[in-house]
Each structure stands twice: as structure tokens, then as C-alpha cells.
Amino acid sequence: MGLVLGAGGTVGAAYHAGVLFSIEHHTGFDPRTASQIVGTSAGSLVGALLRVGVSTDELVALARRDPLLPLPDHLLGLQQASVAETPSALDVLLGVRPPTLAAVANTLRHRSPWPWILSWSRSAQLDLQPLFTELDHLCGGRWPERDLKVCTVSAADGARRVLDSTTRIDLSKAVAASCAVPGLFRPQHVHDERLVDGGVRSVTNVDALDFTSREHPIDEVWVVAPMAGSTFRRHPTALLRRRIERALRQELAAVPIGMPVRVFAPGRESSDVMGVDLMSDDRAASVVLASFLETGSPEPVSAR
């Protein structure tokens, strides 16, 4: 099984929790046993949690922050990440600066607008890595043994950088890089590169799966995409939805013909609960419930 966990902020993490819990409840499949996991932004945190042994019911408890759903002591520190105070939209606007000369040069050099665009937001002070250090403790200071790929983007050329066990960095740093939304969170410096949120390039990154791996073979692909489906169906965010769905279709083309694919994306009910402010933390319980009920018992997947 190749499990792809997409971007979606705080709300998306709650959506992941509800979907994955529903999948295990209805099918018995434990997502921790997936051969490969690809995570982007919020999906990278959820994927890392699965790889360090966090169960789906613990994911739900983390997302809901309900005192009636107690967490094991070793997971209490991770709740800090879900309650971190993020900058307001006004703070982000006030932090906008003209693009740097280096960014303009990189845009021309790499023929990509992203270095120029990413250089506008340079004032974010909140560093997510200290909030994720519990991940390093849970995996014993080593990268998880099971295959995990964390997707980020280089601020220098706008290209994807996939971090894994060969990258030789702490898991917390990799996840912090994948979640480093420009203007909200501080980029992470990895091997002399500034890395930012993997969702800048793609909110899913299905094509980061290794379909030829013999060590971690894949016989089917399941994609959880909080930002796809009906999430941004309203104008003017409908343009974003179309961009996301077009990119997802292109990535799914990389899946070998005949391999079953299942995409879990918010329908109308989940989208109404999620809203468009994906960093909101006051709807987590409702999102978990809506996504659990909407996912239900998955229909048989279809082969491409």
C-alpha cells in the first residue's frame, strides 16, 4: 500500500484523523502498516506520527484536544503544535517585502516564478521545529524504519525536495520544513538550502511514491487530500480548487496502469464544516466527525 497524505493546515490534520480512523474502523486496515507514506505539510506531520507508532484513535484525540479523550503521557508534548499561535493575516501583509535581487536572479536562472514569489514573505518568526521535537524522541532519535517521504520546496528554485532517511536530518526538522507555510512559519535550513511548505508545489505529491521499489513494494495507492474535492468550490477559491484537481490528475497519471487507486477528498458536508481558513483550530472536533461519517466504508477501489 502506498499512502499519500496531503496538505491542509490544522483543519486538514483533523480531516486526516477522521478519514484514517474511519478507514481502520470499517476495513481493519492499519495505516501504520503502509509500505510507503508520502506526506506534504499537515500530511507530513500525520505521516510522521503514524511512522512513530501513533494509532488512528490517538490521532483523533490529538486533533480534537478533548479532555474526555486522554492521551498517553508521551504524546502530550505534541499538543503544543496544535495550539501554537500563528500570525494573523494582517501580520502576514505587514511582513511583505520587495523581492530580493537573489530571488529575481534565481527566477531568471531556473525559469520559475517561485523564487521571486517566495522572497516576498521573509518575516515569519515562528519556528515549528521545537514544537515537533517529540517526534525525535518517539523514534529514538532515528528516522523511522518504515519508508517515509516528506515533501518540501526549495525557496531558491521552487523545485520539490523530498526528505527521507537518506537526508540525514532530524524528523522534526523535516516535518517543520514541510509545514513552513511562507509568511506564517520560518523556513528550515537543510544542507545550505531554505526549505518551505511542500504544498507550494503540490498539495498531494502522489508522484513522490516509488512504484519500482522492491524493498517497499506498492500494490495499490490511497490518497487523502483535504484540499481537493469540494473544499474550495466557492468563488473565488474555485480557481484554487481547479488548480489542485488538475495537479492531482496529472500526478495520478504516474501510477502504473492497472494499479488500484482510491482518493479520499472532502465532500459537501465535510467542506461546509472545514471552511476555507485551514489554519483555524476551533472546528477540529466537527471536522473529525464529519470526515469519519463521510468516509464510511470505502467502496471497492478502481484500477487505472
Side-chain angles (χ1 to χ4, degrees), residues 144-208:
E145 293 183 3
R146 283 184 173 270
D147 190 77
L148 172 66
K149 297 179 178 66
V150 173
C151 297
T152 69
V153 165
S154 169
D157 59 13
R160 181 174 67 191
R161 300 289 189 270
V162 179
L163 309 179
D164 57 21
S165 58
T166 66
T167 312
R168 297 182 180 179
I169 62 171
D170 291 338
L171 181 59
S172 61
K173 193 171 190 66
V175 173
S178 187
C179 295
V181 179
L184 290 182
F185 305 116
R186 186 182 302 174
Q188 296 295 312
H189 290 268
V190 177
H191 304 323
D192 298 325
E193 275 197 302
R194 289 172 61 247
L195 301 183
V196 298
D197 193 308
V200 168
R201 175 192 178 274
S202 166
V203 300
T204 46
N205 287 291
V206 177
D207 51 344

Coordinates of all heavy atoms in Angstrom, one line a residue, residues 144-208:
P144 N 12.3 7.0 11.1 CA 11.5 5.8 11.2 C 12.0 4.7 10.2 O 12.4 5.0 9.1 CB 10.1 6.3 10.8 CG 10.1 7.7 11.2 CD 11.5 8.2 10.9
E145 N 12.0 3.5 10.7 CA 12.5 2.4 9.9 C 11.6 2.2 8.6 O 12.1 1.9 7.5 CB 12.5 1.1 10.7 CG 13.5 1.1 11.8 CD 13.6 -0.2 12.5 OE1 12.8 -1.1 12.1 OE2 14.3 -0.3 13.5
R146 N 10.3 2.3 8.8 CA 9.4 2.1 7.6 C 9.5 3.3 6.7 O 9.8 4.5 7.1 CB 8.0 1.9 8.0 CG 7.7 0.5 8.5 CD 6.2 0.4 8.9 NE 5.8 -1.0 9.2 CZ 5.4 -1.9 8.3 NH1 5.4 -1.6 7.1 NH2 5.1 -3.1 8.7
D147 N 9.3 3.1 5.4 CA 9.5 4.2 4.4 C 8.6 5.4 4.6 O 7.4 5.2 4.7 CB 9.3 3.6 3.0 CG 9.7 4.5 1.9 OD1 10.9 4.6 1.7 OD2 8.9 5.1 1.3
L148 N 9.2 6.5 4.7 CA 8.5 7.8 4.9 C 9.2 8.9 4.0 O 10.4 9.1 4.1 CB 8.5 8.2 6.3 CG 7.9 9.6 6.6 CD1 6.4 9.7 6.3 CD2 8.2 10.0 8.1
K149 N 8.4 9.5 3.2 CA 8.9 10.6 2.4 C 8.2 11.9 2.8 O 7.0 11.9 2.8 CB 8.7 10.3 0.9 CG 9.5 9.1 0.4 CD 9.3 8.9 -1.1 CE 10.1 7.7 -1.6 NZ 9.6 6.4 -1.0
V150 N 9.0 13.0 3.0 CA 8.4 14.3 3.5 C 8.7 15.3 2.3 O 9.9 15.5 2.0 CB 9.0 14.7 4.8 CG1 8.6 16.1 5.1 CG2 8.7 13.7 5.9
C151 N 7.7 15.9 1.8 CA 7.8 16.8 0.6 C 8.0 18.2 1.1 O 7.1 18.7 1.8 CB 6.7 16.6 -0.3 SG 6.5 14.9 -1.0
T152 N 9.0 18.9 0.5 CA 9.2 20.3 0.8 C 9.5 21.0 -0.6 O 9.6 20.3 -1.6 CB 10.4 20.5 1.7 OG1 11.6 20.1 1.1 CG2 10.3 19.7 3.0
V153 N 9.8 22.3 -0.5 CA 10.1 23.0 -1.7 C 11.3 23.9 -1.4 O 11.3 24.6 -0.3 CB 8.9 23.9 -2.2 CG1 9.3 24.9 -3.2 CG2 7.8 23.0 -2.8
S154 N 12.2 24.0 -2.3 CA 13.4 24.9 -2.2 C 12.9 26.3 -2.5 O 12.4 26.6 -3.6 CB 14.5 24.5 -3.1 OG 15.5 25.5 -3.1
A155 N 13.3 27.3 -1.6 CA 13.0 28.7 -1.8 C 13.9 29.3 -2.9 O 13.6 30.3 -3.5 CB 13.1 29.5 -0.5
A156 N 15.0 28.6 -3.2 CA 15.9 29.1 -4.2 C 15.5 28.9 -5.6 O 15.7 29.7 -6.5 CB 17.3 28.4 -4.0
D157 N 14.8 27.7 -5.9 CA 14.4 27.4 -7.3 C 13.0 27.0 -7.4 O 12.5 26.7 -8.5 CB 15.4 26.4 -7.9 CG 15.4 25.1 -7.2 OD1 14.5 24.8 -6.3 OD2 16.3 24.3 -7.4
G158 N 12.3 26.8 -6.3 CA 10.9 26.4 -6.4 C 10.7 25.0 -6.7 O 9.5 24.5 -7.0
A159 N 11.7 24.2 -6.7 CA 11.6 22.7 -7.0 C 11.4 21.9 -5.7 O 11.7 22.3 -4.6 CB 12.9 22.3 -7.7
R160 N 10.8 20.8 -5.9 CA 10.5 19.9 -4.8 C 11.7 19.2 -4.3 O 12.6 18.9 -5.0 CB 9.5 18.8 -5.3 CG 9.1 17.8 -4.1 CD 8.1 16.9 -4.6 NE 8.5 15.9 -5.6 CZ 7.8 15.1 -6.3 NH1 6.4 15.2 -6.1 NH2 8.3 14.3 -7.2
R161 N 11.8 19.1 -3.0 CA 12.9 18.4 -2.3 C 12.2 17.4 -1.4 O 11.4 17.7 -0.5 CB 13.7 19.3 -1.4 CG 14.5 20.4 -2.2 CD 15.6 19.9 -3.1 NE 16.4 20.9 -3.7 CZ 16.1 21.5 -4.8 NH1 15.1 21.1 -5.6 NH2 16.9 22.5 -5.3
V162 N 12.4 16.1 -1.7 CA 11.9 15.0 -0.9 C 12.9 14.6 0.2 O 14.0 14.1 -0.2 CB 11.4 13.8 -1.8 CG1 10.8 12.7 -0.9 CG2 10.4 14.3 -2.9
L163 N 12.5 14.7 1.4 CA 13.3 14.3 2.5 C 13.0 12.9 3.0 O 11.8 12.6 3.2 CB 13.2 15.3 3.7 CG 13.4 16.8 3.3 CD1 13.2 17.7 4.5 CD2 14.7 17.0 2.6
D164 N 14.0 12.1 3.3 CA 13.7 10.7 3.8 C 14.9 10.3 4.7 O 15.7 11.2 5.1 CB 13.5 9.7 2.6 CG 14.6 9.7 1.6 OD1 15.8 10.1 2.0 OD2 14.4 9.3 0.5
S165 N 15.0 9.0 4.9 CA 16.1 8.5 5.8 C 17.5 8.8 5.3 O 18.4 8.8 6.1 CB 15.9 7.1 6.1 OG 15.9 6.3 4.9
T166 N 17.6 9.0 4.0 CA 18.9 9.3 3.4 C 19.4 10.7 3.6 O 20.5 11.0 3.3 CB 19.0 8.9 1.9 OG1 18.1 9.8 1.2 CG2 18.5 7.4 1.7
T167 N 18.4 11.6 4.0 CA 18.7 13.0 4.0 C 19.6 13.3 5.3 O 20.3 14.4 5.3 CB 17.4 13.8 4.1 OG1 16.5 13.4 3.1 CG2 17.7 15.3 3.9
R168 N 19.5 12.5 6.3 CA 20.3 12.6 7.5 C 20.0 13.9 8.2 O 21.0 14.7 8.5 CB 21.8 12.5 7.2 CG 22.2 11.2 6.6 CD 23.7 11.1 6.3 NE 24.0 9.7 5.8 CZ 25.3 9.4 5.4 NH1 26.3 10.2 5.5 NH2 25.5 8.2 4.9
I169 N 18.8 14.2 8.5 CA 18.4 15.2 9.4 C 17.3 14.7 10.3 O 16.8 13.6 10.1 CB 17.8 16.4 8.6 CG1 16.5 16.0 7.8 CG2 18.8 17.0 7.6 CD1 15.7 17.2 7.2
D170 N 17.1 15.5 11.4 CA 16.1 15.0 12.4 C 14.7 15.0 11.7 O 14.4 15.9 10.9 CB 16.0 16.0 13.6 CG 17.3 15.9 14.4 OD1 18.0 14.8 14.4 OD2 17.6 16.8 15.2
L171 N 13.8 14.1 12.2 CA 12.5 14.0 11.7 C 11.7 15.3 11.9 O 11.0 15.8 11.1 CB 11.8 12.8 12.3 CG 10.3 12.6 11.9 CD1 10.2 12.3 10.4 CD2 9.7 11.4 12.6
S172 N 12.0 15.9 13.1 CA 11.3 17.1 13.5 C 11.6 18.3 12.5 O 10.7 19.1 12.1 CB 11.6 17.6 14.9 OG 13.0 17.8 15.0
K173 N 12.8 18.3 12.0 CA 13.2 19.4 11.1 C 12.6 19.2 9.7 O 12.2 20.1 9.1 CB 14.8 19.4 11.0 CG 15.3 20.7 10.3 CD 16.8 20.7 10.4 CE 17.3 22.1 9.9 NZ 16.9 23.2 10.8
A174 N 12.5 17.9 9.3 CA 11.9 17.6 8.0 C 10.4 18.0 8.0 O 9.9 18.6 7.1 CB 12.1 16.1 7.7
V175 N 9.7 17.6 9.1 CA 8.3 18.0 9.2 C 8.1 19.5 9.3 O 7.2 20.0 8.7 CB 7.7 17.2 10.4 CG1 6.2 17.7 10.6 CG2 7.7 15.7 10.2
A176 N 9.0 20.1 10.1 CA 8.9 21.6 10.2 C 9.1 22.3 8.8 O 8.4 23.3 8.5 CB 9.9 22.1 11.2
A177 N 10.0 21.7 8.0 CA 10.2 22.3 6.7 C 9.0 22.1 5.8 O 8.5 23.0 5.1 CB 11.4 21.6 6.0
S178 N 8.4 20.9 5.9 CA 7.2 20.6 5.0 C 6.0 21.5 5.4 O 5.1 21.7 4.6 CB 6.9 19.1 5.1 OG 5.8 18.8 4.2
C179 N 6.0 21.9 6.7 CA 4.8 22.7 7.2 C 5.1 24.2 7.2 O 4.3 25.0 7.6 CB 4.5 22.3 8.6 SG 3.9 20.6 8.8
A180 N 6.3 24.6 6.7 CA 6.7 26.0 6.8 C 6.0 26.9 5.7 O 6.5 27.3 4.7 CB 8.2 26.1 6.6
V181 N 4.7 27.2 6.0 CA 3.9 28.0 5.1 C 4.6 29.4 5.0 O 4.8 30.0 6.0 CB 2.5 28.2 5.6 CG1 1.7 29.0 4.6 CG2 1.8 26.8 5.8
P182 N 4.9 29.8 3.8 CA 5.6 31.1 3.6 C 4.8 32.2 4.2 O 3.6 32.3 4.0 CB 5.7 31.3 2.1 CG 5.7 29.9 1.6 CD 4.8 29.1 2.5
G183 N 5.4 33.1 5.0 CA 4.8 34.2 5.7 C 4.2 33.8 7.1 O 3.9 34.7 7.9
L184 N 4.0 32.5 7.3 CA 3.5 32.0 8.6 C 4.5 31.4 9.5 O 4.6 31.7 10.7 CB 2.3 31.0 8.4 CG 1.0 31.5 7.8 CD1 0.0 30.4 7.7 CD2 0.4 32.7 8.7
F185 N 5.4 30.6 8.9 CA 6.4 29.8 9.7 C 7.7 30.0 9.1 O 7.9 30.1 7.8 CB 6.0 28.4 9.8 CG 4.6 28.1 10.4 CD1 3.6 27.6 9.6 CD2 4.3 28.6 11.7 CE1 2.3 27.4 10.1 CE2 3.0 28.4 12.2 CZ 2.0 27.8 11.4
R186 N 8.7 29.9 9.9 CA 10.1 30.1 9.4 C 10.6 29.0 8.5 O 10.4 27.8 8.9 CB 11.0 30.2 10.6 CG 12.5 30.6 10.3 CD 13.3 30.6 11.6 NE 12.8 31.5 12.5 CZ 13.3 31.7 13.8 NH1 14.3 30.9 14.2 NH2 12.8 32.6 14.6
P187 N 11.2 29.3 7.4 CA 11.8 28.2 6.6 C 12.9 27.4 7.4 O 13.4 28.0 8.3 CB 12.4 29.0 5.4 CG 11.7 30.3 5.4 CD 11.4 30.6 6.8
Q188 N 13.1 26.2 7.0 CA 14.1 25.4 7.6 C 15.4 25.3 6.7 O 15.2 25.1 5.5 CB 13.6 24.0 7.9 CG 12.4 24.0 8.9 CD 12.8 24.4 10.3 OE1 13.8 23.9 10.8 NE2 12.0 25.3 10.9
H189 N 16.5 25.5 7.3 CA 17.8 25.4 6.6 C 18.3 23.9 6.6 O 18.6 23.4 7.7 CB 18.8 26.3 7.2 CG 18.5 27.7 6.9 ND1 19.0 28.4 5.8 CD2 17.7 28.6 7.6 CE1 18.5 29.7 5.8 NE2 17.8 29.8 6.9
V190 N 18.3 23.3 5.5 CA 18.7 21.9 5.4 C 19.8 21.8 4.3 O 19.6 22.1 3.1 CB 17.5 21.0 5.0 CG1 18.0 19.5 4.8 CG2 16.4 21.0 6.0
H191 N 21.0 21.5 4.7 CA 22.2 21.3 3.8 C 22.3 22.6 2.9 O 22.3 22.5 1.7 CB 22.0 20.1 2.9 CG 21.9 18.8 3.7 ND1 22.5 18.6 4.9 CD2 21.1 17.7 3.5 CE1 22.2 17.4 5.4 NE2 21.3 16.8 4.5
D192 N 22.3 23.8 3.6 CA 22.5 25.1 2.9 C 21.4 25.5 2.0 O 21.5 26.4 1.2 CB 23.8 25.0 2.1 CG 25.1 24.8 3.0 OD1 25.1 25.3 4.1 OD2 26.0 24.1 2.5
E193 N 20.2 24.9 2.2 CA 19.0 25.3 1.4 C 17.9 25.7 2.3 O 17.8 25.2 3.4 CB 18.5 24.1 0.6 CG 19.2 23.9 -0.8 CD 18.3 23.1 -1.7 OE1 18.0 21.9 -1.3 OE2 17.9 23.5 -2.8
R194 N 17.2 26.7 1.9 CA 16.0 27.1 2.7 C 14.8 26.4 2.1 O 14.4 26.6 0.9 CB 15.8 28.7 2.5 CG 16.8 29.5 3.3 CD 16.6 31.0 3.0 NE 15.3 31.5 3.3 CZ 14.4 31.9 2.5 NH1 14.7 31.9 1.2 NH2 13.3 32.4 2.9
L195 N 14.2 25.6 2.9 CA 13.0 24.8 2.5 C 11.8 25.2 3.1 O 11.7 25.6 4.3 CB 13.3 23.3 2.9 CG 14.5 22.6 2.3 CD1 14.6 21.2 2.7 CD2 14.6 22.8 0.8
V196 N 10.7 25.3 2.3 CA 9.4 25.7 2.8 C 8.3 24.7 2.5 O 8.6 23.6 2.0 CB 9.0 27.1 2.1 CG1 10.0 28.1 2.5 CG2 8.9 26.9 0.6
D197 N 7.1 25.0 2.8 CA 6.0 24.1 2.7 C 5.9 23.4 1.4 O 5.9 24.0 0.3 CB 4.7 24.9 2.9 CG 3.5 24.1 3.2 OD1 3.2 23.1 2.4 OD2 2.8 24.3 4.1
G198 N 5.8 22.0 1.4 CA 5.7 21.2 0.2 C 4.5 21.5 -0.6 O 4.4 21.2 -1.8
G199 N 3.4 22.1 0.1 CA 2.2 22.4 -0.7 C 2.3 23.5 -1.7 O 1.5 23.7 -2.5
V200 N 3.5 24.2 -1.6 CA 3.7 25.3 -2.6 C 3.7 24.7 -4.0 O 3.2 25.3 -4.9 CB 5.0 26.0 -2.3 CG1 5.5 26.9 -3.4 CG2 4.9 26.8 -1.0
R201 N 4.3 23.5 -4.1 CA 4.4 22.9 -5.4 C 3.2 22.0 -5.7 O 2.5 22.1 -6.7 CB 5.6 22.0 -5.5 CG 5.7 21.1 -6.8 CD 6.8 20.1 -6.7 NE 6.8 19.3 -7.9 CZ 6.1 18.2 -8.1 NH1 5.2 17.8 -7.2 NH2 6.2 17.5 -9.3
S202 N 2.8 21.2 -4.7 CA 1.6 20.3 -4.9 C 1.1 20.0 -3.5 O 1.8 19.8 -2.5 CB 2.0 19.0 -5.6 OG 1.0 18.0 -5.4
V203 N -0.2 19.9 -3.4 CA -0.8 19.6 -2.1 C -0.9 18.1 -1.8 O -1.4 17.7 -0.8 CB -2.2 20.2 -1.9 CG1 -2.1 21.8 -2.1 CG2 -3.2 19.7 -2.9
T204 N -0.5 17.3 -2.8 CA -0.5 15.9 -2.6 C 0.8 15.2 -2.9 O 1.2 14.3 -2.2 CB -1.6 15.2 -3.5 OG1 -1.5 15.8 -4.8 CG2 -3.0 15.5 -2.9
N205 N 1.5 15.5 -4.0 CA 2.7 14.9 -4.4 C 2.7 13.3 -4.5 O 3.5 12.6 -4.0 CB 3.8 15.2 -3.4 CG 4.2 16.7 -3.5 OD1 4.9 17.1 -4.4 ND2 3.9 17.5 -2.5
V206 N 1.6 12.9 -5.2 CA 1.5 11.4 -5.4 C 2.7 10.9 -6.1 O 3.1 9.7 -5.9 CB 0.2 11.1 -6.2 CG1 0.0 9.7 -6.5 CG2 -1.0 11.7 -5.4
D207 N 3.2 11.7 -7.1 CA 4.3 11.2 -7.9 C 5.6 11.0 -7.1 O 6.6 10.6 -7.7 CB 4.5 12.1 -9.1 CG 4.7 13.5 -8.7 OD1 4.3 13.9 -7.6 OD2 5.1 14.3 -9.6
A208 N 5.6 11.3 -5.8 CA 6.8 11.0 -5.0 C 6.9 9.6 -4.5 O 7.9 9.1 -4.0 CB 6.8 11.9 -3.8

